Amino acid sequence: QVQLEESGGDLVQSGGSLRLSCTAPGFTLDYYAVDWFRQAPGKEREGVSCISSFDGSILYSDSVKGRFTVSRDNAKNTVYLQMNNLKPEDTAVYYCATNTLSNCAARRAGTWSASQFFWGQGTQVTVSS
């Protein structure tokens, strides 16, 4: 069983920045692709980013491209999501997840399903206008 833990969510004003962290005590994230998803009230869960361990490639949704940056620090067993120029529409619970594969192929092809992933508990990001 993979346990993921997110942190860093907060209330921030529009235009502000936050950095989310994802760790996995007892599980080595280095070998696996790690995804960030978000879910706003009344909306479906949306894929935000995916960082591959296979070739280092990164996938972003169009809604965050150019504003969000995902990175990983293998020494700290942590994946980060740096979020800049935040907008009210970014308000959501943010989740990190992994399907324990090394690549983002399923996310890139849009063939993923929630049951394929291990999930963290989520961290709330609220952006005020």
Side-chain angles (χ1 to χ4, degrees):
Q1 187 75 7
V2 179
Q3 292 185 320
L4 300 168
E5 298 177 354
E6 305 94 337
S7 61
D10 206 343
L11 170 64
V12 64
Q13 289 188 333
S14 182
S17 297
L18 284 175
R19 188 178 76 163
L20 306 184
S21 299
C22 173
T23 60
F27 181 80
T28 303
L29 288 174
D30 307 11
Y31 305 132
Y32 305 106
V34 176
D35 295 73
W36 285 97
F37 291 84
R38 67 185 182 185
Q39 189 164 19
K43 294 189 176 181
E44 293 188 353
R45 193 163 295 189
E46 172 192 15
V48 174
S49 70
C50 177
I51 182 167
S52 168
S53 65
F54 176 69
D55 58 4
S57 61
I58 295 173
L59 175 69
Y60 294 105
S61 67
D62 288 342
S63 59
V64 307
K65 199 173 295 182
R67 300 187 298 122
F68 290 13
T69 303
V70 64
S71 62
R72 61 198 311 156
D73 185 336
N74 291 338
K76 295 184 177 180
N77 199 37
T78 301
V79 174
Y80 301 102
L81 183 67
Q82 177 67 43
M83 307 186 295
N84 297 330
N85 190 22
L86 283 161
K87 305 175 181 180
E89 52 263 42
D90 294 318
T91 295
V93 177
Y94 283 72
Y95 301 89
C96 68
T98 182
N99 59 5
T100 67
L101 298 178
S102 63
N103 60 68
C104 302
R107 286 266 285 107
R108 198 177 300 277
T111 58
W112 65 276
S113 65
S115 62
Q116 297 170 340
F117 287 83
F118 293 96
W119 298 89
Q121 81 287 350
T123 186
Q124 177 70 48
V125 172
T126 303
V127 184
S128 64
S129 57

